[in-house]
C-alpha cells in the first residue's frame, strides 16, 4: 500500500548522506555503532534532558516510512533495535528502554527516512513530557556514548547474538569488560 510522500523532491536525506560518508555537525561516522546488511544503528544527535545517548536504528536503503517497508528490511531493523536495546541497558546502566517510531508529519516524523528511536530510561526521567527540551548534541559529546554502546554490541555479538553485526569500535579504543568469575552472577539492575 503506497502512501503519499512528504519528502521534498530535492531532499538530501541525512541518513543516506551519513552512509555515503558525508558528515556535518549532526551526522558523523563516529555516531555509527553497528551495521548489518539491511540496517544501521547510530547514536542520535538530538537528546532529551535525562536520556543522553539515545540511538536511532534505520534501514540501510532509503524508505520514507513504515507503510511500504519491505518485510525483510523491517525484520532487520527490529532485530537491530532489540540488540541496541539490550546493549544500551548494560552499557549505560539504565533502568529501562523505550522505543518509538513516527510516520508522517501528523505522527511526529521530521526526517524522511524511517528511523526507530531507542531511549535509555531512568526512573522519573519524564521523557514523554520533555519533547520541547530536546537539544542537539556536539559530536564529541556523542562519541563517548557511541564508544560504550559499540563496545557492548561487540561483546554481545561475540557472545550471544551472532547475527552478523559489524561494529566500528576497535580494540585499542575500547576494551571489553573483564570476564566474570565462574559460578557468580551479577546482581540485577
Amino acid at each position: 500500500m503506497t502512501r503519499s510522500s512528504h519528502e521534498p523532491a530535492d531532499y538530501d536525506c541525512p541518513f543516506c548522506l551519513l552512509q555515503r560518508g558525508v558528515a556535518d555537525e549532526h551526522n558523523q561516522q563516529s555516531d555509527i555503532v553497528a551495521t548489518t546488511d539491511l540496517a544501521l544503528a547510530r547514536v542520535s544527535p538530538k537528546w532529551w534532558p535525562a536520556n543522553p545517548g539515545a540511538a536511532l536504528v534505520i534501514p540501510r536503503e532509503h524508505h520514507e516510512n513504515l507503510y511500504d517497508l519491505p518485510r525483510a528490511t523491517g525484520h532487520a531493523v527490529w532485530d537491530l533495535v532489540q540488540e541496541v536495546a539490550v546493549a544500551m541497558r548494560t552499557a549505560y546502566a539504565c533502568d529501562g528502554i523505550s522505543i518509538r517510531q513516527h510516520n508522517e508529519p501528523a505522527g511526529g516524523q521530521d526526517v524522511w527516512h524511517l528511523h526507530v528511536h531507542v531511549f535509555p530510561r531512568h526512573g522519573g526521567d519524564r521523557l514523554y513530557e520533555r519533547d520541547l527540551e530536546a537539544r542537539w548534541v556536539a559530536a564529541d559529546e556523542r562519541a563517548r556514548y557511541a564508544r560504550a554502546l559499540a563496545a557492548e554490541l561487540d561483546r554481545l555479538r561475540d557472545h550471544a547474538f551472532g547475527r552478523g553485526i559489524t561494529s566500528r569500535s576497535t580494540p585499542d579504543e575500547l576494551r571489553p569488560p573483564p570476564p566474570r568469575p565462574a559460578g557468580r552472577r551479577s546482581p540485577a539492575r
Side-chain angles (χ1 to χ4, degrees), residues 23-28 31 42-46 136-137 142:
D24 63 27
E25 63 190 317
H26 301 306
N27 297 288
Q28 298 286 319
D31 296 333
R42 49 95 42 105
V43 169
S44 177
K46 192 174 186 179
W136 294 103
V137 180
R142 297 189 309 261

Side-chain angles (χ1 to χ4, degrees), residues 8 25 30 33 36 41 48 56 62 67 69 74 89 94 123-125 147 151 154 178:
E25 63 190 317
S30 59
V33 297
T36 67
W48 278 244
L56 301 173
H62 184 83
Y67 305 127
L69 187 67
R89 180 85 167 68
C94 53
D125 65 18
R147 285 191 302 270
D154 280 345

Side-chain angles (χ1 to χ4, degrees), residues 7 23 27 52 67 84 114 116 135 180:
E7 177 181 312
N27 297 288
Y67 305 127
V84 167
L114 181 131
V116 179
R135 68 180 176 90
R180 293 187 185 129

